[in-house]
Amino acid sequence: CSYANLNYNNPSWSFPDVGNKNSVDAEALGHPLIHESERICNDINIPLNGHIKLVTGSNMAGKSTFLRTVGLNIILALSGAPVCAKRLSLPHMFVYTSMRTQDALHESTSSFYAELKRLKFIIEAVEEQAGLAEDSKEKQHVFFLLDEILKGTNSVDRHTGSKALIRQLIESKGSGIIATHDLELGKLEESYGGHVENLCIEVEIKDGKLYFDYKLKKGVSE
């Protein structure tokens, strides 16, 4: 009943094509909780065999909102609901996120350590699926959404750790999107033969004011 109501109230949404796919392919993908009068939609195509989109941009540019846009629509699609997109095709897959990890005083856990535990959990999930035989009925793609990874440490360790994490995820055939302020990570695109692609969401300054268009563009943020 909830999904029928969702479909009735949003006639511009579509039902996804869920099946034997090797990518997440979306046209005019939008955040389902932003009103259509303010919603900015983007296209995205993510191969699911060890491919990472690196999204750079300033604060308030819309990186985190875009990650949530992708994640929410994937969950809607895999649960049988209509999606906030003109078109969305994807396979059955596992979805993992590392966003807004928090400290836990009762566990003597800092936010940085909480994030490390979360990343370890995601790496193990990716490697578990990579270790299954290709014809295994349990084998599925692992898709991750990571927001500002390792932000709780110094810039040198964050950069070094992020590069190592990206390399490990690609080697284990994991795919997903990483939003980051670390522009130096953009250099990885040249080293990974198509397994890393740089995307950005830019902010313009005109007459001393900030202007946000929330549109994905190719390249590293300037």
Side-chain angles (χ1 to χ4, degrees):
C1 289
S2 296
Y3 290 164
N5 194 47
L6 186 66
N7 185 49
Y8 180 83
N9 288 330
N10 297 278
S12 64
W13 292 19
S14 64
F15 278 93
D17 178 11
V18 182
N20 187 20
K21 315 289 183 181
N22 290 314
S23 66
V24 175
D25 187 23
E27 182 180 355
L29 190 73
H31 196 298
L33 298 180
I34 296 177
H35 193 272
E36 60 182 348
S37 63
E38 299 179 354
R39 185 187 302 136
I40 303 297
C41 298
N42 284 284
D43 300 343
I44 190 75
N45 181 275
I46 307 172
L48 295 176
N49 192 25
H51 183 89
I52 292 175
K53 305 288 188 189
L54 277 177
V55 181
T56 53
S58 70
N59 285 325
M60 295 175 60
K63 302 187 303 299
S64 298
T65 299
F66 176 68
L67 262 62
R68 294 186 179 97
T69 296
V70 175
L72 284 169
N73 279 292
I74 288 176
I75 296 303
L76 285 172
L78 295 180
S79 63
V83 294
C84 183
K86 184 176 180 180
R87 178 180 55 80
L88 174 62
S89 66
L90 72 167
H92 292 281
M93 59 186 183
F94 297 112
V95 182
Y96 292 86
T97 66
S98 179
M99 304 173 71
R100 297 184 67 181
T101 49
Q102 298 178 334
D103 57 359
L105 294 180
H106 64 286
E107 296 179 1
S108 299
T109 300
S110 69
S111 58
F112 180 62
Y113 185 60
E115 183 184 14
L116 288 180
K117 291 200 296 182
R118 183 65 182 170
L119 292 175
K120 179 176 181 288
F121 178 66
I122 294 172
I123 289 171
E124 289 174 346
V126 172
E127 293 183 339
E128 178 183 359
Q129 291 300 308
L132 295 176
E134 288 298 325
D135 58 351
S136 172
K137 293 182 179 180
E138 298 179 0
K139 191 176 183 67
Q140 291 193 43
H141 294 289
V142 173
F143 186 86
F144 49 80
L145 299 164
L146 311 181
D147 194 13
E148 294 299 337
I149 51 177
L150 306 180
K151 56 185 173 294
T153 188
N154 66 78
S155 57
V156 175
D157 286 349
R158 180 179 63 196
H159 180 71
T160 303
S162 296
K163 287 200 301 183
L165 175 65
I166 289 170
R167 180 176 63 251
Q168 189 168 358
L169 290 170
I170 289 175
E171 289 176 352
S172 299
K173 307 299 183 184
S175 297
I177 307 174
I178 299 177
T180 180
H181 284 295
D182 188 352
L183 303 184
E184 288 294 309
L185 290 177
K187 296 178 180 178
L188 296 177
E189 184 182 71
E190 302 174 0
S191 308
Y192 280 92
H195 289 282
V196 175
E197 181 184 5
N198 291 319
L199 298 173
C200 64
I201 305 177
E202 293 287 26
V203 177
E204 293 188 18
I205 302 177
K206 296 179 181 178
D207 300 323
K209 295 182 179 180
L210 293 172
Y211 291 90
F212 303 91
D213 66 6
Y214 307 114
K215 296 297 290 184
L216 275 179
K217 303 174 179 67
K218 290 187 177 294
V220 179
S221 173
E222 298 181 359

